[in-house]
Amino acid sequence: MHALVRTDAGTLWTDVAAATCGPAHVTVEVSLVGLCRTDLAVASGRLKVQTPRVLGHEFVGRIVSVGSDVRGLSIGDKIAADPVLRCRRCDRCLGRWQYACPQAKFLGVDVDGAIADSITIPWQNAWRLPETLDDRVGALLEPVAACAAVLKAPLGTRQHGVVYGYGRLAKLTAMILRSRGFEFIRCVHPNQQPLGTDQYDFAIDTEGTTDSLAQLADCLRPGGVLVLKSRPLRPIALDLKAMLPKEHQIFPVNYADFGEARRLLLDPSIDFASLLGPVWSADQAIPAFKAAQSDSSRKHFIELTSVQSLPFAVRTQHQCVPSSDA
Ligand SMILES: [Zn+2]
Ligand SMILES: [Zn+2]
């Protein structure tokens, strides 16, 4: 099958062997993949992965093969995925810390991902979607689960909060909070305007920089809640001397339950359409990645089905995302 693969020479379309469907797996024919910051980092080489590695983790597709142990899923079902594969046997997995499983592997980073004709995943990672749901919205399952994780923090709906960040994650987080009754949410673009001092009861950071956390600590009232929602690629510095006197409650959050995220996808009060960017054909992978890199406000997608009928040589012409030194 053809797949978009990070290699030592860059990221390019190439031919890879399709995985076989084990007893606890489903094989999914991929129709649409959303591009996120992680994919851009892998494609450019900023996030190092073992090569070759098939990219992509935010996808929608149809099940074409079902293992003998699979429950509740059938051939033809439309699904999206939880991209974190874990052992489901260790203490953390059997407790409530599955995403901290020592054997956790992320699709498109630690194991092969979804920008391919098909992908094979453990059945528990597949989440069936309603037929009527727009594929572009369905492909937002993982970012919605990531943003909805802020609801784990001790935030009050009558409290004043700020969501800090450049892109669609900040906007999506604010929309999810408003859908849950939070009335006093301000979404702030970095460098837009000063946040003030002691202004907010809680602050949600989606940037993960030294500067963003310093600004948010300043704008929070003493004892306020600082929610860490970003996953910076590299360690960042914190000025603890400035932060300690206000004794903030600091909450790092990872994912909400994916069942909860799926319910949110169907919530008509959330304007998912405002986050949707263009759908690129697979032979436009280079412009798709470039456009996604410079457009943090909208999600860009690559459609897989449009090229599955083309000859392989045509599909693979000139498809290489150059490495970056950043
Ligand atoms: Zn993602
Ligand atoms: Zn585990």
Side-chain angles (χ1 to χ4, degrees):
M1 67 173 181
H2 82 302
L4 191 68
V5 179
R6 173 72 209 183
T7 71
D8 293 337
T11 298
L12 62 153
W13 288 106
T14 187
D15 206 0
V16 300
T20 49
C21 185
H25 289 76
V26 292
T27 297
V28 181
E29 191 175 275
V30 180
S31 50
L32 191 73
V33 182
L35 301 179
C36 93
R37 288 196 278 204
T38 305
D39 304 313
L40 302 178
V42 174
S44 68
R46 278 180 292 123
L47 178 56
K48 301 289 177 212
V49 296
Q50 206 173 63
T51 55
R53 174 70 67 233
V54 179
L55 274 75
H57 60 276
E58 298 177 9
F59 68 97
V60 166
R62 281 194 191 279
I63 293 178
V64 292
S65 186
V66 175
S68 55
D69 295 345
V70 174
R71 300 286 170 265
L73 293 168
S74 306
I75 288 174
D77 284 349
K78 178 159 105 170
I79 67 108
D82 171 351
V84 181
L85 314 188
R86 53 264 192 192
C87 80
R88 297 181 187 274
R89 290 187 302 273
C90 71
D91 287 348
R92 291 181 181 179
C93 282
L94 296 175
R96 51 181 288 261
W97 304 108
Q98 297 191 10
Y99 292 98
C101 172
Q103 295 177 51
K105 292 182 170 45
F106 199 89
L107 290 179
V109 177
D110 308 305
V111 292
D112 281 342
I115 308 182
D117 291 341
S118 69
I119 182 171
T120 297
I121 55 172
W123 71 271
Q124 296 101 325
N125 286 75
W127 288 86
R128 193 168 50 212
L129 300 174
E131 284 296 320
T132 51
L133 188 67
D134 186 317
D135 279 4
R136 295 171 300 169
V137 177
L140 297 177
L141 179 68
E142 185 256 353
V144 166
C147 292
V150 301
L151 295 166
K152 293 176 173 177
L155 315 178
T157 53
R158 304 289 300 165
Q159 291 184 320
H160 290 253
V162 61
V163 182
Y164 186 88
Y166 277 105
R168 56 187 177 270
L169 279 184
K171 191 173 174 190
L172 178 55
T173 301
M175 290 197 292
I176 288 171
L177 285 168
R178 290 189 187 113
S179 80
R180 290 306 170 93
F182 286 81
E183 293 177 52
F184 308 110
I185 301 294
R186 185 175 162 211
C187 207
V188 170
H189 196 279
N191 308 324
Q192 201 174 38
Q193 61 265 88
L195 286 166
T197 299
D198 295 1
Q199 296 291 305
Y200 296 96
D201 301 302
F202 66 86
I204 296 169
D205 174 62
T206 69
E207 288 299 313
T209 65
T210 295
D211 185 53
S212 67
L213 292 174
Q215 283 199 54
L216 292 180
D218 182 47
C219 83
L220 272 179
R221 65 166 168 78
V225 179
L226 177 57
V227 184
L228 306 182
K229 186 47 247 145
S230 178
R231 203 172 305 178
L233 293 178
R234 293 183 177 81
I236 58 169
L238 292 182
D239 184 359
L240 293 177
K241 185 162 163 285
M243 292 175 79
L244 289 189
K246 289 165 82 177
E247 297 194 345
H248 295 135
Q249 304 178 63
I250 297 183
F251 268 81
V253 293
N254 188 26
Y255 282 119
D257 177 79
F258 272 70
E260 172 68 12
R262 182 170 59 178
R263 277 191 291 281
L264 285 165
L265 289 180
L266 306 176
D267 187 331
S269 74
I270 302 175
D271 182 16
F272 291 111
S274 66
L275 305 172
L276 303 178
V279 176
W280 300 80
S281 61
D283 62 341
Q284 295 291 305
I286 292 175
F289 271 76
K290 276 191 184 150
Q293 184 78 56
S294 57
D295 180 5
S296 63
S297 63
R298 297 180 306 159
K299 176 68 73 180
H300 289 239
F301 302 92
I302 294 180
E303 186 186 39
L304 275 298
T305 44
S306 61
V307 290
Q308 280 161 3
S309 57
L310 292 175
F312 187 78
V314 174
R315 298 188 306 228
T316 54
Q317 268 175 359
H318 312 305
Q319 293 302 310
C320 185
V321 179
S323 290
S324 114
D325 296 320

